[in-house]
Amino acid sequence: MAKDFPTRAENYSQWYNDLVIKADLAENSAVRGCMVIKPYGYAIWEKIQLNLDKMFKDTGHSNAYFPLFIPKSFFSREASHVEGFAKECAVVTHYRLKNSPDGKGVVVDDDAKLEEELIVRPTSETIIWDTYKNWIKSYRDLPILINQWANVVRWEMRTRLFLRTSEFLWQEGHTAHATREEAIREAETMLNVYTTFAQDWMALPVIQGVKSPAERFGGAVETYAIEAMMQDGKALQAGTSHFLGQNFAKAFDVKFLNKENQLDYVWATSWGVSTRLMGALIMSHSDDNGLVLPPKLAPIQVAIVPVFKTPDQLSFISETAIAIKKELEAKGIRVKFDDRDTRTPGWKFSEYEFKGVPVRLTIGPRDIEKGTIEVSRRDTLEKEHYPMTGVCDRIADLLGQIQNNLFQKALDYREARTYRVDDYEEFKQILDKGGFIYAHWDGTKETEARIKEETKATIRVIPLNNPQEPGKCIYSGKPSKERVIFARAY
């Protein structure tokens, strides 16, 4: 398997695009801006989905499903929400086609125009809160803790596989509460769920914080987020959790009778992650030899490659290999024994290395005679011979070591490229190299907008529990009470 693509240093963007395609994760489709997620890529997404879904259910949430189509009038009820999504909406105006007059194709049937145009779901707050109006009458009906796994459409002009496509997969949580405090607690709980998943499963260190007003989700009172650093020093928003206050309840007139027997508006949250996590996984760990996957999310954790010349040798090796495979699987490890005779061992080595399989075992007749097995780890590309005795326990331990090593490597990289800056010229120079910058900001939208216009950097988050540190704004020189994190981002 040839690795005919640029290195990260040569062209990071092209390296990413080529890796996604050549590792059989996804490809561009016939529909502009949309992707086909291939089986290997979808297997990784399934691991993400399965483990997140368990974490949601462990915190009391249930799955449901709501319509793909949303009446256009719903978006006009919450002003900041429609402002945030208006430019990205796909609109359905007709429900039927007919043959064209010249008989050479089809045209929209003007007699089939919809009475009200429909928006193809960019997010579901509006349709869900119109539904919740029918579900909620009393405090006894609360809280409602719902999650939805779905696809959404946001009509992006410049797309990139997994990171930004016109249609993508995600989950969106939508909860309803009796009090402000309960809703805020929910938003913070889900932020912590995302943080735990990113760090423990994706081996991805993240920083928790809140968005500046200019970067908040449309219709939110507060947006909590986790931000990760990619290997080019850019930030990637890996998850968001929004405290919506009573904005959507007021927009859709969702009231309940509280414990004091008084009518009040419901308090709300929403939260979500998407297939963008696939992009984060690729860009935070992979190298110039191909994909690198954390063991917990790898579809194949261990690949066993036999080295043989004759069918008899394969039969001899298979007895040992299958026994190892069964013992590893009994420990919950995902294993593939690749006994194909249509590919050479060298080709298989290259394939599993390129696709990021964490551990590769190589077994030949001589290895069996010696009672050893060659073990290769993908994260460091190191090889070592283990004794056959107790090898499965050692491999299980090795997978844990690889998971931890990937996290520590990404954390060390982030810390090495994180700066505290007080001079605007130095600020711009560091942005050109890539990294997170802790700098003072005067708190105004005007300054934030000017910095973005001049440097393409945005305030990624105002870190939670941020120490108060009086200083002067990096741009305006006006007083500032704390540093915030600036970076260029995907």
Side-chain angles (χ1 to χ4, degrees):
M1 173 174 277
K3 304 182 186 72
D4 54 340
F5 64 104
T7 65
R8 291 163 293 173
E10 288 170 345
N11 188 329
Y12 190 84
S13 179
Q14 193 62 48
W15 166 83
Y16 172 82
N17 292 337
D18 286 357
L19 183 52
V20 170
I21 292 169
K22 293 177 185 295
D24 278 335
L25 300 178
E27 62 185 34
N28 292 301
S29 76
V31 182
R32 184 206 162 278
C34 296
M35 64 179 168
V36 174
I37 304 176
K38 300 181 77 173
Y40 192 63
Y42 200 82
I44 300 169
W45 174 247
E46 282 181 318
K47 293 285 180 290
I48 291 172
Q49 186 180 36
L50 176 69
N51 291 290
L52 272 173
D53 196 66
K54 183 180 186 304
M55 295 173 80
F56 298 156
K57 288 171 180 171
D58 286 348
T59 47
H61 301 83
S62 300
N63 288 332
Y65 188 80
F66 296 86
L68 174 67
F69 301 112
I70 301 171
K72 189 171 77 172
S73 61
F74 283 17
F75 276 81
S76 63
R77 298 190 193 181
E78 215 294 326
S80 60
H81 189 65
V82 69
E83 183 180 349
F85 287 99
K87 294 178 181 179
E88 300 175 345
C89 287
V91 185
V92 179
T93 59
H94 293 72
Y95 62 86
R96 188 168 61 219
L97 300 175
K98 65 179 181 180
N99 290 326
S100 61
D102 60 11
K104 295 181 179 180
V106 293
V107 295
V108 171
D109 186 347
D110 288 331
D111 293 330
K113 189 172 184 178
L114 292 174
E115 208 170 295
E116 180 178 359
E117 294 174 348
L118 299 172
I119 308 298
V120 184
R121 173 176 55 215
T123 182
S124 297
E125 278 78 7
T126 56
I127 191 73
I128 286 177
W129 277 91
D130 181 72
T131 303
Y132 283 179
K133 179 173 59 180
N134 302 319
W135 295 4
I136 301 168
K137 303 300 177 186
S138 159
Y139 70 90
R140 295 182 181 87
D141 301 321
L142 299 170
I144 292 176
L145 306 175
I146 294 292
N147 174 65
Q148 171 175 244
W149 291 97
N151 62 335
V152 294
V153 171
R154 297 181 183 176
W155 212 256
E156 299 281 357
M157 299 309 295
R158 285 177 286 187
T159 60
R160 182 179 294 183
L161 294 170
F162 290 123
L163 295 176
R164 197 172 292 278
T165 50
S166 296
E167 179 196 15
F168 54 90
L169 305 181
W170 79 347
Q171 59 74 211
E172 48 181 323
H174 297 273
T175 69
H177 304 268
T179 68
R180 174 189 179 92
E181 292 72 25
E182 187 181 315
I184 291 174
R185 190 161 57 247
E186 164 75 7
E188 292 174 344
T189 294
M190 299 319 296
L191 181 74
N192 289 330
V193 166
Y194 290 150
T195 301
T196 298
F197 179 78
Q199 300 193 152
D200 290 357
W201 290 84
M202 296 179 66
L204 182 67
V206 294
I207 297 174
Q208 294 183 326
V210 296
K211 291 290 188 180
S212 66
E215 294 289 325
R216 276 182 201 144
F217 175 77
V221 176
E222 195 78 89
T223 289
Y224 300 86
I226 52 173
E227 292 285 328
M229 183 187 290
M230 302 297 98
Q231 290 182 66
D232 60 349
K234 286 186 179 179
L236 187 140
Q237 182 178 283
T240 52
S241 181
H242 315 289
F243 169 54
L244 303 176
Q246 296 173 309
N247 291 345
F248 285 91
K250 290 178 179 177
F252 289 88
D253 197 31
V254 185
K255 297 177 181 177
F256 73 106
L257 203 62
N258 64 25
K259 290 182 178 180
E260 288 71 41
N261 211 34
Q262 296 175 334
L263 277 178
D264 194 8
Y265 287 105
V266 177
W267 298 86
T269 78
S270 66
W271 30 272
V273 296
S274 74
T275 37
R276 168 173 274 230
L277 289 182
M278 294 284 292
L281 203 63
I282 296 161
M283 290 197 293
S284 55
H285 301 308
S286 300
D287 60 23
D288 296 336
N289 294 299
L291 197 62
V292 176
L293 295 175
K296 287 186 177 181
L297 295 179
I300 303 167
Q301 294 172 307
V302 177
I304 304 175
V305 178
V307 178
F308 61 95
K309 292 181 180 178
T310 67
D312 287 344
Q313 283 186 335
L314 175 59
S315 180
F316 175 62
I317 295 166
S318 293
E319 186 177 342
T320 298
I322 290 171
I324 292 172
K325 179 176 185 287
K326 288 180 178 178
E327 188 176 344
L328 288 171
E329 288 174 337
K331 295 178 179 294
I333 295 169
R334 298 181 289 278
V335 186
K336 180 176 180 179
F337 173 42
D338 191 344
D339 59 353
R340 292 175 293 173
D341 60 5
T342 56
R343 297 292 186 184
T344 65
W347 194 96
K348 294 174 186 178
F349 296 162
S350 182
E351 179 184 33
Y352 293 123
E353 180 180 293
F354 193 81
K355 289 194 169 184
V357 174
V359 173
R360 186 185 75 241
L361 308 182
T362 305
I363 308 177
R366 289 184 181 178
D367 296 303
I368 295 174
E369 291 171 4
K370 293 178 181 178
T372 63
I373 187 168
E374 184 184 89
V375 180
S376 303
R377 52 186 291 178
R378 178 62 185 87
D379 60 331
T380 63
L381 299 176
E382 294 172 341
K383 297 178 184 178
E384 188 177 349
H385 280 85
Y386 287 7
M388 289 279 190
T389 305
V391 70
C392 292
D393 288 333
R394 292 191 66 181
I395 290 168
D397 182 61
L398 180 61
L399 289 169
Q401 292 177 35
I402 293 170
Q403 184 82 25
N404 293 336
N405 180 55
L406 288 176
F407 177 83
Q408 191 60 49
K409 184 179 178 182
L411 181 60
D412 290 345
Y413 182 84
R414 188 188 76 190
E415 290 181 349
R417 299 191 71 167
T418 298
Y419 310 89
R420 290 168 62 88
V421 178
D422 296 305
D423 177 76
Y424 192 55
E425 289 305 313
E426 182 186 1
F427 178 90
K428 290 188 285 186
Q429 290 169 11
I430 289 174
L431 285 173
D432 289 337
K433 294 189 295 183
F436 284 0
I437 298 176
Y438 282 79
H440 281 285
W441 166 56
D442 62 20
T444 67
K445 288 184 178 181
E446 293 76 17
T447 292
E448 186 177 6
R450 286 180 188 135
I451 291 173
K452 182 177 181 180
E453 182 181 353
E454 292 182 14
T455 69
K456 296 183 180 179
T458 53
I459 296 173
R460 301 317 304 157
V461 284
I462 303 165
L464 294 185
N465 305 313
N466 205 23
Q468 299 300 288
E469 179 192 330
K472 293 183 178 180
C473 175
I474 192 81
Y475 184 86
S476 68
K478 294 178 181 177
S480 164
K481 65 179 182 179
E482 61 186 347
R483 293 178 185 270
V484 301
I485 299 177
F486 286 91
R488 289 177 181 152
Y490 286 97

